[in-house]
Amino acid sequence: MTKKLDLALYALSAVFALVTALTSTLLPHRAWGAVAAWGYLTAALLVYLVQRRDLLAWATWGAVALLPLVIQSVQRAGGRTDRAQEEVLVVEHMGESLLHSGTPYLSRTEIAAIPLDERLLGYRPYQPGMSIFGVPRALAGDHWFTDARIWFAIMTMVTLGAAVTLVRSLPTPSAVRTTRSPFKLLRSTAPVSQAPAPDAPGPVAPVSPALVRAIQAATVLPVTALTLATGGDDIPVLALCLLALALAATGRPGWSGLAVGAAAACKLFALPVVAVLVVHAVVTGTWRRLLPGALGLPLLALLPPLLVNADALIENVLRFPLGHGLVTSPAQSPFPGYLISQALPGGRYIAVGLLVSAAAVIGFLLLRRPPRTAHSAALFCGYGLLTAILLMPTTRFGYLLYPVALLLFAPVLSKDTGSSAPRHDTALYRH
């Protein structure tokens, strides 16, 4: 059955890439499709010939994401101006501004001085940490290896590889000491004395079908591969969130906080993951180790822009995304929030009201039934982000890569049975 699903995934992805190459109005997307279609087709032909499904997934990622990315970066360095999406230029401009002025943002006055047809590129609606990916081009000039997407890809490879390695090291449920029920302990086939400590994971297990599916969601799924090859800024943020969950599952809350804090320092989409992991850390009694990185890194990243020009930070990170900038965001995918905001009188306020109401409900559930494992935390993150994306007045279809990857990553964390909790359970943890 798994082979059949792989065949369907790669075959349908090849069709999607081919249609994109022939019909997309975005030239970077067309260039991606022309290369990726062959990669997906080759993967479909190899499904029944390659035994290691995970190796086929990694190789396919190289063919449908990394290869098109390098080709477009080389062509762009050679003078092609249609080989990168606007977010790549924005991130590189952030790096340049950071080096020259100490802040990655332009003020409202500076943006108003830009010609109207180029004014959109003056806005940088990302967190300050994203500017790091633009620094190589600001320092070394226009080369293929200074393209921001190259550094997005490097960060993704490192963090995603670490996340996969960590979840493969998770002990089996029978080997983990549990405090939830003495009856579960009696059913364990391994003595309690053999339970590994949180910082000493068990032997590496073979790659499970669920883990292969999670790898595919984070790498070869068309929405993910296309995003990395043509824009890419969301992919390292997603990879850092997955790494944070894997670190939480293996009893490393301090490192988990650093990973999710780095993600939140780059993009606001990581903040819901921060919130869920904070609640998880409170429940498991590990919040003192998680909070310094999870909250400290985003705040530390905000400090220089606040000191240099606080109004420029507010203009880019708050006013523009909320629709109060000098130009409006082009993110207009036809999800319910966008349709409501466009079709009904006062629709934007209705959509925002629905979004706030949904956030309140999710927050209530998060406090009422807090996640006690990384598995349940990943589910909270996935469904919460899916709800937010559907109800946001301004959103993109590509943002769906976050909930899809998080929800498919959750099953591989199911071996986590709360071993990261301290021996002396807190009142919140007892039930």
Side-chain angles (χ1 to χ4, degrees), residues 62-398:
V64 304
L66 301 182
L67 178 60
L69 186 159
V70 171
I71 291 174
Q72 292 198 28
S73 298
V74 171
Q75 291 176 341
R76 182 183 173 214
R80 293 290 298 266
T81 59
D82 57 352
R83 286 296 179 265
Q85 289 187 181
E86 291 177 345
E87 51 262 41
V88 178
L89 307 180
V90 169
V91 170
E92 292 171 353
H93 291 162
M94 290 180 71
E96 184 178 357
S97 295
L98 178 65
L99 292 182
H100 292 163
S101 63
T103 175
Y105 305 110
L106 299 179
S107 67
R108 190 178 182 93
T109 302
E110 291 171 319
I111 296 172
I114 299 174
L116 184 59
D117 58 342
E118 301 176 11
R119 195 169 293 172
L120 181 62
L121 292 177
Y123 277 100
R124 293 92 185 262
Y126 307 127
Q127 296 299 97
M130 188 65 74
S131 61
I132 299 299
F133 296 100
V135 169
R137 203 171 192 88
L139 287 174
D142 296 345
H143 305 284
W144 72 269
F145 54 85
T146 61
D147 192 299
R149 290 170 295 182
I150 296 294
W151 298 95
F152 292 151
I154 292 173
M155 174 63 78
T156 301
M157 285 188 284
V158 172
T159 53
L160 192 58
V164 171
T165 301
L166 284 168
V167 297
R168 289 188 64 191
S169 73
L170 282 171
T172 58
S174 61
V176 178
R177 178 170 183 165
T178 177
T179 59
R180 295 193 184 185
S181 170
F183 301 101
K184 289 184 179 180
L185 184 59
L186 290 173
R187 290 199 296 270
S188 173
T189 59
V192 172
S193 60
Q194 297 179 5
D199 292 331
V204 176
V207 179
S208 65
L211 181 53
V212 174
R213 200 66 67 206
I215 293 171
Q216 290 170 335
T219 57
V220 302
L221 201 67
V223 65
T224 309
L226 171 63
T227 299
L228 181 60
T230 62
D233 58 283
D234 287 296
I235 307 302
V237 176
L238 170 65
L240 283 167
C241 291
L242 297 180
L243 177 59
L245 289 164
L247 288 164
T250 53
R252 297 172 172 86
W255 289 105
S256 177
L258 289 173
V260 77
C266 293
K267 205 159 189 181
L268 289 173
F269 255 98
L271 288 182
V273 183
V274 172
V276 172
L277 283 176
V278 166
V279 174
H280 172 265
V282 170
V283 169
T284 56
T286 58
W287 60 272
R288 289 183 181 87
R289 296 163 64 188
L290 180 125
L291 287 186
L295 300 183
L297 280 182
L299 292 176
L300 187 63
L302 288 171
L303 187 58
L306 280 173
L307 293 177
V308 174
N309 192 333
D311 189 67
L313 172 67
I314 295 171
E315 176 71 19
N316 286 265
V317 177
L318 293 179
R319 293 187 190 128
F320 175 70
L322 293 175
H324 298 294
L326 297 175
V327 293
T328 57
S329 171
Q332 299 178 348
S333 295
F335 291 138
Y338 172 75
L339 296 176
I340 290 172
S341 67
Q342 297 297 310
L344 298 178
R348 189 174 188 86
Y349 296 101
I350 295 174
V352 171
L354 291 173
L355 180 61
V356 172
S357 299
V361 171
I362 294 172
F364 172 78
L365 294 175
L366 187 63
L367 297 177
R368 180 69 177 83
R369 304 179 66 89
R372 292 178 170 84
T373 65
H375 168 255
S376 57
L379 292 177
F380 259 111
C381 294
Y383 287 119
L385 282 172
L386 178 61
T387 302
I389 291 167
L390 293 178
L391 293 179
M392 288 169 59
T394 303
T395 186
R396 293 181 185 272
F397 178 79

Side-chain angles (χ1 to χ4, degrees), residues 17-29:
L18 180 60
V19 172
T20 300
L22 297 175
T23 64
S24 177
T25 58
L26 300 175
L27 294 181
H29 289 203

